[in-house]
Amino acid sequence: EVQLVESGGGLVQPGRSLRLSCAASGFTFSAFGMHWVRQAPGKGLEWVSGISGNSVDIKYADSVKGRFTISRDNAKSSVFLQMNSLRPDDTALYFCTKRISAQAPFDFWGQGTLVTVSS
Amino acid sequence: DIVMTQSPDSLAVSLGERATINCKSSQSVSYSSNNKNHLAWYQQKPGQPPKLLIYWASTRESGVPDRFSGSGSGTDFTLTISSLQAEDVAVYYCQQYYSTPTFGQGTKVAIK
């Protein structure tokens, strides 16, 4: 059974940092690109960042470029999102999701971890 | 980035009736090399993550009921629920994977 379990969310003050983790199981982790997609309260879906299976190809949304860093550890079947210089508009539920290639849909999503940026 | 625009923002349909959601991309999401439309539809029920329903614009994901169908090509796409069931109440999103992923704003489907 495929599972993606996010962790690391919480309440943080503006300008501070947070590191999200996503633990994967039930599939060949290194074969899949891994992505973070967020959803602000009551709003739609926004793609944040993605990393290819071999970590060669990494991309970010303009809204987080220079502040967020995605990485993965294939030995531990985990993907991470280091979020620095957090702003109130980063407040959202952050989903971990996977896809088999850059030209494929997101075929499975985790339940998400909530990040709240507020003083 | 490719902008995805859905219509309507919300709709209410009687049980057993047809629901139709439209999605328009700001540029074509069809690759001439494989003649495929890089367009997916997701369903998100309250308190749940999105679930993949349709990919390549018209291919149903395994386990998705056949009352869900997708159509369209190029820049204009449609998700149809042929006979709305109570469990179909959700927000539906289109997404292009032709380039950096982008989503439509969502369409909320309710029971009339």
Side-chain angles (χ1 to χ4, degrees):
Chain A
E1 179 192 8
V2 174
Q3 288 194 40
L4 295 172
V5 181
E6 302 93 337
S7 60
L11 174 63
V12 62
Q13 292 179 327
R16 304 299 292 265
S17 299
L18 211 56
R19 188 186 193 223
L20 305 184
S21 300
C22 172
S25 60
F27 63 99
T28 305
F29 182 73
S30 60
F32 283 78
M34 298 300 297
H35 296 253
W36 291 95
V37 175
R38 67 186 181 183
Q39 186 169 37
K43 302 296 184 182
L45 302 169
E46 179 191 16
W47 174 81
V48 173
S49 181
I51 185 169
S52 62
N54 58 10
S55 300
V56 168
D57 189 22
I58 291 176
K59 289 186 168 61
Y60 300 97
D62 287 344
S63 57
V64 306
K65 201 171 293 182
R67 300 187 299 122
F68 290 11
T69 302
I70 191 171
S71 62
R72 64 189 294 159
D73 183 339
N74 285 348
K76 296 183 178 179
S77 295
S78 295
V79 61
F80 309 98
L81 188 67
Q82 177 67 42
M83 304 186 296
N84 299 332
S85 303
L86 282 162
R87 310 186 303 218
D89 62 357
D90 294 317
T91 294
L93 186 61
Y94 284 73
F95 294 105
C96 172
T97 183
K98 70 182 188 66
R99 63 179 185 176
I100 190 64
S101 75
Q103 304 298 325
F106 299 119
D107 59 28
F108 190 83
W109 301 60
Q111 292 291 320
T113 187
L114 182 62
V115 173
T116 304
V117 184
S118 174
S119 53
Chain B
D1 287 358
I2 298 175
V3 176
M4 308 299 291
T5 304
Q6 292 179 226
S7 62
D9 290 334
S10 64
L11 76 161
V13 176
S14 300
L15 288 172
E17 295 300 305
R18 178 185 300 260
T20 301
I21 301 169
N22 299 301
C23 175
K24 189 174 184 67
S25 57
S26 59
Q27 66 184 74
S28 176
V29 298
S30 176
Y31 262 116
S32 56
S33 60
N34 61 9
N35 203 31
K36 287 186 172 181
N37 292 283
H38 294 228
L39 189 284
W41 289 96
Y42 300 87
Q43 175 193 62
Q44 186 178 31
K45 296 181 179 180
Q48 296 185 20
K51 172 190 172 185
L52 177 63
L53 291 180
I54 303 274
Y55 56 97
W56 300 130
S58 61
T59 302
R60 264 189 307 276
E61 177 73 326
S62 175
V64 173
D66 61 6
R67 63 180 179 274
F68 291 92
S69 63
S71 63
S73 182
T75 61
D76 292 280
F77 302 92
T78 299
L79 175 70
T80 301
I81 310 173
S82 61
S83 176
L84 191 75
Q85 304 300 304
E87 60 265 32
D88 301 335
V89 168
V91 178
Y92 293 84
Y93 295 92
C94 62
Q95 177 237 330
Q96 63 80 19
Y97 46 96
Y98 179 93
S99 62
T100 303
T102 51
F103 295 87
Q105 80 276 18
T107 295
K108 186 172 185 178
V109 173
I111 304 294
K112 186 187 290 183

